[in-house]
Amino acid sequence: MNAGISALFTDFYSLTMAQGYWKNKMSGRAVFEVFFRHQPSGGGFSVFAGLETLLQTLKNFSFSKEDLDYLSSLNYFEDAFLDYLIDFRFSGDLFAMDEGTIIFPQEPVIRVDSNLIEAQILEGLILNTINFQSLIATKTARVVLASNNGFVMEFGLRRAQGPDGALSASRAAFIGGASGTSNVLAGKMFTIPVLGTMAHSWVLSFPDEEEAFRAYAALYPDKTIFLIDTYDTLKSGIHNAIKAGRELAGKGKNFGVRLDSGDIHYLSVEVRRILNEAGFPNATITVSNDLDEYIVDTLTKAGAPINIWGVGTRMVTGGNEAAFSGVYKLAAKEEEGNLIPTMKFSDNPEKTTNPGIKQVWRIKDEKGLAVADIMALDDLENPDIPEKGKQHVFWHPQADYRHFYHTILNDASAEALLKKRISKGEIISETLFLPEIQQKVREGLECFDHSYKRILNPHIYKISVTERLRTLKLDLIKTFDYNVKKI
């Protein structure tokens, strides 16, 4: 999707800092980590999406001659630095969780291990790709859960944030569990099933509603869904649909109807009753009209007889959640040949980062249910690996006094979530097809208790740090406090 994007797709400060690093010969190794700060929509989980898009983009991420000419025209950059950028390619390592992994705040989902200049330039691209797709995949997963894992159509193209936003949203929505998309180009590019019914303009273009329905049924006898609210849903729409539907039934075909306005609960109940009385218990009911997970959840719990959910605007834009809160922070830097842990200090405890190169371990019990995610130091010489058969103490990543004890039983599991995807600039991970990623989301959600997946007031899943990581963080805070006092 973004395979040919220019390396100018970054924030200006990334380039000005990159020149500063180059000028000061600061091209040593650096490790950045991507994590997010809070769950969107007050939910209990998020879905990691956009990884494959990112990997494919990085393959060709470079500066063209035209790009460098543009940078030169800004009068900010030295010619020698622009010459340095001629051969710019990502040559480092990139670790990431599997696309489709269920993720939680504070834990790194991507780790970039490269020289400082390369890693800095990648910031904008990484965050733009991962933040948007993770937001939409998460929103869609919530809608699908609210529908009791029903059939959800994504048709938000007309309300999405521009052409690329629409394509990214269709891809991410399918990962999150949508059954298909109205976006034909997305269907072609990502092999997503394309779906659709009819618009009110179809009905209005014919002399009357019944003729419009008959014409549509003649064209698409195997996939007929009548939009029945153009004039009056219960007085005319459903009855004209039944008339056209009888002709289809005579040919051994089924049909469906769609509601796009009014009291969806009341109308769906009445339409179901009328269809059943007319002898069409298998006729489907599709609903749309500015749906989101809260409305879908309410309708599902009320027992509304709905077969298919058409969700657009509030799913592909994130609804009330404008953006995913992913950030890109330096975790370690090279000094005199050694990697030194770094952390950001802040007056806001939430913005104080966890130092060092980290791995994330998902701890599951003997039944395969997730118990907690543990952030642990992941240096090559002495990785911090949770041992089975041993009681561990795990600490809250921000509140250093909160902790819990847990013994990882021998028939339980501890899975390392970050895996190497790029080695020395070359992609080494296997490409997954979207249905495989979508299935990973489904299976991942099944590993969590229903209380974490509630639409409203979900239980908070434990994200913790090991004793060793906590000690490192506290030592750095003490060092910082000491240096501040000296000033």
Side-chain angles (χ1 to χ4, degrees), residues 246-259:
R246 290 195 189 283
E247 296 181 7
L248 286 172
K251 302 173 184 177
K253 309 293 184 181
N254 195 28
F255 70 96
V257 299
R258 175 180 154 215
L259 301 168

Side-chain angles (χ1 to χ4, degrees), residues 73-85:
S73 72
L74 299 177
N75 297 318
Y76 256 85
F77 303 102
E78 298 182 15
D79 289 342
F81 174 65
L82 297 178
D83 289 341
Y84 167 83
L85 294 180

